[in-house]
Amino acid sequence: MSAFKRSFCCAVFALVVLGGCGATTYQTYAKNGASTAAVSRDQTECSLEANRLFPAANFPTTYPSGGYYGTGYYNGGWGLGVTYVGSTDVNAGMRNAHRNDCMRLKGYTPVVYPICTNDQLGGASYAPATGAPAPAPNICAVAQKDARPVLVDLSKPI
């Protein structure tokens, strides 16, 4: 198999694997009597505190790449390269844990909702749910492009 075909096959495989990596759940917090604005305000306060205590600490992430044929110092021959693929924030886990602890101390409970599928929505429109409804089969989150997901009740189309 030629190098081009091998690269093309690897790229197609990666796209197929990564295509199914979208979020399938949305986590938020619930507290009796708390409005959506109050939840958002408290989440922001906890996030700011977590970011201040555990700032981003990014380190490069690399992996060995395939061999290469070099000239110069090695006077020709095969060697191993290193490819930079991004970075890892080593404080992300601590920041997330602190944010969750902060919200729990404020009286919130973490709640996980599924993301609505196209089949569930069926082309209908739904009004946003008020407050933080209890998880139920008819409650799901509609993903928004530039904002947090919105919770809807599938039993109440508009």
Side-chain angles (χ1 to χ4, degrees):
M1 183 182 285
S2 72
F4 174 76
K5 285 182 181 177
R6 188 171 37 250
S7 296
F8 180 75
C9 289
C10 288
V12 169
F13 177 74
L15 288 173
V16 169
V17 169
L18 293 176
C21 292
T24 58
T25 60
Y26 165 63
Q27 180 184 345
T28 188
Y29 297 90
K31 177 175 154 181
N32 284 338
S35 67
T36 304
V39 175
S40 181
R41 182 191 66 240
D42 288 341
Q43 278 184 306
T44 300
E45 288 174 5
C46 288
S47 290
L48 288 171
E49 182 177 286
N51 290 340
R52 183 178 49 77
L53 294 172
F54 304 101
N58 293 309
F59 292 93
T61 304
T62 59
Y63 69 90
S65 62
Y68 64 91
Y69 187 80
T71 57
Y73 179 77
Y74 292 106
N75 200 18
W78 285 96
L80 187 62
V82 175
T83 302
Y84 174 77
V85 293
S87 64
T88 301
D89 180 359
V90 296
N91 283 345
M94 291 183 288
R95 212 169 28 254
N96 191 41
H98 182 81
R99 188 178 306 111
N100 286 334
D101 291 344
C102 176
M103 289 298 284
R104 286 176 196 260
L105 287 172
K106 290 179 181 275
Y108 290 92
T109 304
V111 182
V112 178
Y113 299 97
I115 299 290
C116 301
T117 65
N118 288 335
D119 289 340
Q120 287 175 308
L121 296 173
S125 295
Y126 299 90
T130 57
N138 59 313
I139 304 292
C140 60
V142 176
Q144 303 292 305
K145 289 187 180 189
D146 296 331
R148 288 184 180 161
V150 174
L151 297 176
V152 296
D153 185 343
L154 296 173
S155 66
K156 299 178 183 174
I158 46 176

